[in-house]
Amino acid sequence: MRLNAENIKGMLLRYIVAIVILAALFTLPFWGGRYIVMLVMLMGMYITLGHMWNLLAGYSGLTSLGQQMYIGVGGYTLAVASTNLGLPLVVGLIMGGIVSVIIAVGLSYLLLRMKGMYFAIATWMFAEAMLLIVATVSFLGKGQGLFITEARKLVTAQIYYFSIVLVVITTIVIVVLLRSKLGLGLFAIRDNDSASATSGVPQFKSKLYCMIISSFITGVCGGVFYMSQVWVQPYASFSISWTVAAVFIVVIGGIGTIAGPIVGGIIYVFLSQYLSTLSQIGSLNMVILGVIAVAVILVAPKGIVGTVQEKFGFEILSARRWLGKSLAKVPVAPAPASEAERES
Amino acid sequence: MRKILNVDNLHVAYGKFKVLHELSFDVEESQVLGVIGPNGAGKTTLMNALSGLVIPYDGTVVFDGVNITKKSPDERCRHGIGRTYQVPRPFEGLTVFENVLVGAAYGVGKSERAVIAKAVEVLKSTSLYEKSDTVAGRLTLLDRKRLEIARALATEPKLLLLDEVAAGLTDAEVHEVMELVEYLKGTGITIIWIEHVIKTMAESTDKLLCLSTGTGLIYGDPDYVMASKEVEEVYLGVEEE
């Protein structure tokens, strides 16, 4: 890549901002209060959840209403792996991701033959079915759920690091993925699935990859969340409120943008904490969040990040492939002259 | 000349409604086959059946020696079939360059350098190079039509399906698109081309196929097809005495 002063300045600025943010995040438990640490930990988890829903709905056209299934599976797998099998917590988290992937791949052969509303309802149905199964199995504690005994030994700061590492890795995965060939194909599928198919983009395989990545990371995220709760219970872990939260985060932040779930996740955690101090009725909080989401859709349909990007003409963590940058990165031989050039 | 496409006894239906039936024809390599016929004759359905967007319930499609009847659209694209749409379907959130990159990356599938080189070559040849970084959703209809052709060309097709590339354009714009089609003909790509401008089709194609109510009415050299009573009847409703 050819470097000029402006490129170097821009790159330096981006690296400095990234290093400052990462340094602040990784040192927060040493200088921040316990409540702040807990808030940022929650933000990490909700941003991860938002990124994964955005990957499905914002880039692949797969509007899932069943993300709670992977949260629950991640939580339960962690509980069984650490408490029943005596495995380390990290292994339990990864196993939660793997079990989620196995379920997602198993269901994909049915789910990926559906589109739009049918896909959305089917994912919700499978999540509800999973809830009913888990809530009736004695081994999994039926309706009472399971304790994650090992997680009791951890302090908030330790779980905080699990959350931060997860959200940083997830953001990197999303950026790398969307800048890859698969990402280009996903953008094409999002914009027009039949035209993308006749342009050579393999529909089933591309969507399956998205489901695998999304289910794995959401499963791990569920494990990290229930590590902080110490107790996983079916009606909470398989609740649709997880997907509602993901939808809110992405709609507020900006669907189909990389920075959208980050902004949306921060707003969601602040709002839900603030609303919980105002009202003790959980469902009322959901109604208020819903009204806010509708208001944002009416005022700024592309979400906060989408609207700001459109207004000011820049993209945060952009996956855009500009001709000039591509040519600078991969110099190619001069192409044949265009018609206009040939005529002149 | 080698036959690149063989369509044999093709039957396509949407539910109980039969759109194509008993349709058979061949296309030779580097040939331009024009497909004409009144509205509802099944022209676009034929394009969908050839590109894999609809699967026939009977009959076979053999392309370049391979039976592709049950193959998916993306497999057909990688095998060498590119297409445009009557109503352009650009990837509206992507730039012109990115639209063409999709075709090059998935259709050609070579190194990053080769993919970018192919995209640049196609953008130049379709006069879209200057608009490379324009978001496709903001293009005019003429440029959208150009982009349809560019995206298909980027996949390096052996067979290109052109579905009414001139539809909805002004006379001046039609002239520009026709120049592009002439350029395509010069590249030696086999083309199946649907258009309603009969005069242009008669002048610019090697063979004509006239469809009527889902089946092949007449097939042959343009002069022979245009002089036939059947075509006159289909278009003008003239009955035999």
Side-chain angles (χ1 to χ4, degrees), chain A residues 181-182 185 187-188 191-192 194-195 197-202 320-323 326 329-332 335-336 338-339, chain B residues 73-74 77-78 85 89 91-95 97-98 102 105-106 112-113 120-121 124-125 127 132-133 151 179:
Chain A
K181 181 179 166 181
L182 174 61
F187 285 125
D191 284 357
N192 196 304
S194 57
T198 52
S199 299
V201 182
R320 184 74 74 192
R321 294 150 181 88
W322 301 110
L323 175 66
S326 298
K329 208 166 83 178
V330 185
V332 296
S338 66
E339 274 175 49
Chain B
D74 55 282
C77 174
R78 286 192 293 278
Y85 292 88
R89 297 182 187 183
F91 306 129
E92 297 206 343
L94 301 183
T95 64
F97 174 58
E98 288 172 321
V102 172
Y106 282 94
E112 190 179 6
R113 182 186 294 259
V120 169
E121 178 201 320
K124 286 251 180 184
S125 60
S127 302
S132 292
D133 288 337
R151 196 176 58 201
E179 277 185 355

Side-chain angles (χ1 to χ4, degrees), chain B residues 42-172:
Chain B
K43 300 186 295 295
T44 295
T45 300
L46 171 62
M47 292 299 203
N48 290 341
L50 295 177
S51 61
L53 290 179
V54 295
I55 300 294
Y57 70 87
D58 198 8
T60 55
V61 180
V62 176
F63 173 67
D64 205 18
V66 178
N67 187 339
I68 58 162
T69 315
K70 303 286 180 194
K71 288 201 184 294
S72 63
D74 55 282
E75 284 176 304
R76 293 184 196 213
C77 174
R78 286 192 293 278
H79 198 62
I81 297 181
R83 77 163 288 179
T84 69
Y85 292 88
Q86 182 182 346
V87 178
R89 297 182 187 183
F91 306 129
E92 297 206 343
L94 301 183
T95 64
V96 168
F97 174 58
E98 288 172 321
N99 267 264
V100 178
L101 265 189
V102 172
Y106 282 94
V108 182
K110 293 176 191 160
S111 66
E112 190 179 6
R113 182 186 294 259
V115 165
I116 292 173
K118 184 69 198 173
V120 169
E121 178 201 320
V122 166
L123 287 168
K124 286 251 180 184
S125 60
T126 52
S127 302
L128 282 171
Y129 189 75
E130 300 304 321
K131 290 170 185 163
S132 292
D133 288 337
T134 304
V135 175
R138 293 181 190 152
L139 291 178
T140 61
L141 180 61
L142 174 63
D143 284 334
R144 282 171 180 244
K145 297 267 185 182
R146 284 185 199 277
L147 183 56
E148 284 287 303
I149 294 173
R151 196 176 58 201
L153 271 184
T155 65
E156 289 192 349
K158 293 177 215 160
L159 171 66
L160 182 58
L161 310 173
L162 298 176
D163 192 354
E164 296 200 36
V165 284
L169 299 177
T170 64
D171 286 347

